[in-house]
Amino acid sequence: MHRFLRVIAAVVPLILALTAAGCAESRTEARPVAGVPETLPPEPAPLTPDVAERAFRTYVTDEDVARAAGDERLALTWTSDGQSQLTAAEFRKAAYDGDPVRRFVYGEPRLYVPRLKDAAYPQWFVVSVDRSVLGRPKSEHTALMAFVLRGPSDHWKLTLATLLQKKAKVPKVAVDDEGYAQALSSDDTSLLIRPRDVGGIQATIAAEGGGSVAAKVMKPNDVTTGFYRDDRHEKKKAKKKDLAFQAVYTATPFPYFGLRTETGGGLVVYSLFRNTSLVAEDPGTPKPEIPDDAEHLLDGTVEGNEVDTTSTMHFAAYDPAKAKKGRPQPKAQMIADDGAVTKAATPPLKQP
């Protein structure tokens, strides 16, 4: 009997423990889970000349890696806006022609860094730098390049690059003792042309020629009255083939940038679109041929009776300060340009 009681005494606690465990498993109480730390967004960092220089150096290195590898996708991660369109078109043209993509060699940059509020985005700066194509030392040009950082979690990207024209000079941008330039507001009325209107003035002259009212405030140039002259020539060529040619210059949704110069004027860099159409309006007229500068963007056939193209163009202009009363007023002057056809289409015939 004593032995039996000892066995019972030993078994009962084990049964109770198993029963308690089973009951615990049948309950629906939530089990404790590991805590997930909150991910805080990056702190905004102020833009300084040192930050801008590091961003430029990083871009130059990363751009060359992408171009050396022929990696369009990687190259596009370092660009934005109009520069992305031009980069994509350049890679496609190189592939179409069977050529390697151009690589660049850069000289010592001159950085123009505006003093911005620490928490203000987007941040931006402009660089003036000598640039040549690798293996082609005689190809050196001065490039004006604008970089943008749209938020603290983003990385710096090249949004615009344009090349200084022959005999043109980059105006001296005013830089203070701490290395900062002064950004222009979009509607600065101390200048002959408000910065936001410079592109519109150029586009008007390109459309209307030297007789335009806009020509009173901007000097003739290959990319103003020259565009008008070239387009008239294209219209005459098209008419001889019973085709209709039209070119239209429009604003872009891309950012533009303005910096105060030492003379009180402004350096303004910006973009425009040039849209063209070549149409065989008469059903008996042969279809228009695809322009040479758009072949890499099309499959070689014209489905309907029309070929449309869009060029992305980057410019820089010197916008003088308004002259004091009684003094002669200098005109604005285009100083840099670059661009290429970035889009082409051959729409089918419209159904009546």
Side-chain angles (χ1 to χ4, degrees):
M1 177 60 69
H2 291 293
R3 190 180 303 114
F4 176 76
L5 292 175
R6 285 197 298 272
V7 171
I8 292 297
V11 171
V12 168
L14 178 60
I15 294 173
L16 292 174
L18 292 173
T19 301
C23 292
E25 289 182 359
S26 65
R27 288 197 292 267
T28 58
E29 294 179 3
R31 295 182 179 181
V33 295
V36 179
E38 292 184 7
T39 302
L40 298 176
E43 287 290 331
L47 173 60
T48 66
D50 287 341
V51 168
E53 183 168 1
R54 287 196 299 271
F56 174 75
R57 302 289 183 190
T58 298
Y59 169 80
V60 167
T61 300
D62 292 336
E63 177 205 41
D64 191 57
V65 169
R67 287 176 174 268
D71 192 332
E72 177 183 345
R73 182 177 297 181
L74 180 60
L76 290 175
T77 64
W78 305 113
T79 62
S80 66
D81 305 309
Q83 200 61 36
S84 289
Q85 296 179 351
L86 289 167
T87 299
E90 181 181 1
F91 270 78
R92 289 167 198 174
K93 181 141 190 349
Y96 180 84
D97 294 338
D99 296 329
V101 182
R102 295 180 304 167
R103 295 169 63 186
F104 298 115
V105 178
Y106 293 89
E108 195 63 27
R110 179 172 294 178
L111 285 81
Y112 307 123
V113 184
R115 190 186 294 275
L116 304 174
K117 294 180 180 179
D118 291 350
Y121 286 93
Q123 295 179 353
W124 60 274
F125 64 91
V126 174
V127 176
S128 172
V129 62
D130 290 336
R131 187 185 78 175
S132 61
V133 178
L134 182 65
R136 291 165 50 191
K138 293 184 179 180
S139 63
E140 184 174 279
H141 281 83
T142 297
L144 290 170
M145 307 169 70
F147 292 84
V148 168
L149 179 68
R150 287 190 160 85
S153 59
D154 199 1
H155 63 263
W156 285 97
K157 297 176 182 178
L158 177 66
T159 182
L160 182 156
T162 188
L163 301 177
L164 198 68
Q165 297 171 350
K166 290 182 180 179
K167 298 182 180 180
K169 295 181 179 180
V170 179
K172 293 182 179 180
V173 174
V175 177
D176 66 20
D177 293 340
E178 295 181 323
Y180 289 96
Q182 180 184 347
L184 297 172
S185 65
S186 62
D187 59 351
D188 192 315
T189 57
S190 69
L191 304 175
L192 177 62
I193 307 170
R194 292 182 300 183
R196 69 184 185 191
D197 295 332
V198 172
I201 292 293
Q202 181 198 1
T204 301
I205 300 172
E208 301 177 359
S212 168
V213 174
K216 294 181 178 180
V217 294
M218 185 173 284
K219 289 183 178 180
N221 189 278
D222 287 344
V223 294
T224 54
T225 52
F227 278 162
Y228 176 78
R229 180 182 62 248
D230 293 344
D231 293 341
R232 284 177 62 85
H233 178 66
E234 289 298 320
K235 285 182 180 180
K236 290 178 180 179
K237 282 176 54 180
K239 189 174 182 180
K240 290 180 181 179
K241 299 179 181 180
D242 295 322
L243 300 173
F245 174 84
Q246 184 179 31
V248 178
Y249 300 85
T250 63
T252 74
F254 310 139
Y256 58 92
F257 311 93
L259 294 162
R260 182 78 64 188
T261 66
E262 291 182 356
T263 58
L267 170 64
V268 184
V269 291
Y270 60 94
S271 305
L272 287 177
F273 286 137
R274 178 177 183 263
N275 303 295
T276 72
S277 63
L278 193 60
V279 184
E281 296 177 338
D282 187 339
T285 301
K287 294 180 178 181
E289 296 179 358
I290 296 173
D292 292 342
D293 55 3
E295 286 181 337
H296 58 291
L297 301 172
L298 297 169
D299 61 4
T301 60
V302 178
E303 185 177 355
N305 65 335
E306 180 177 348
V307 178
D308 300 328
T309 70
T310 297
S311 296
T312 303
M313 304 184 299
H314 290 162
F315 301 102
Y318 171 65
D319 186 5
K322 283 183 180 177
K324 294 181 179 179
K325 190 175 182 180
R327 297 286 183 88
Q329 176 63 65
K331 291 185 178 183
Q333 182 177 356
M334 301 300 303
I335 62 170
D337 67 272
D338 195 26
V341 175
T342 53
K343 184 180 179 181
T346 59
L349 283 170
K350 297 178 181 178
Q351 297 298 324

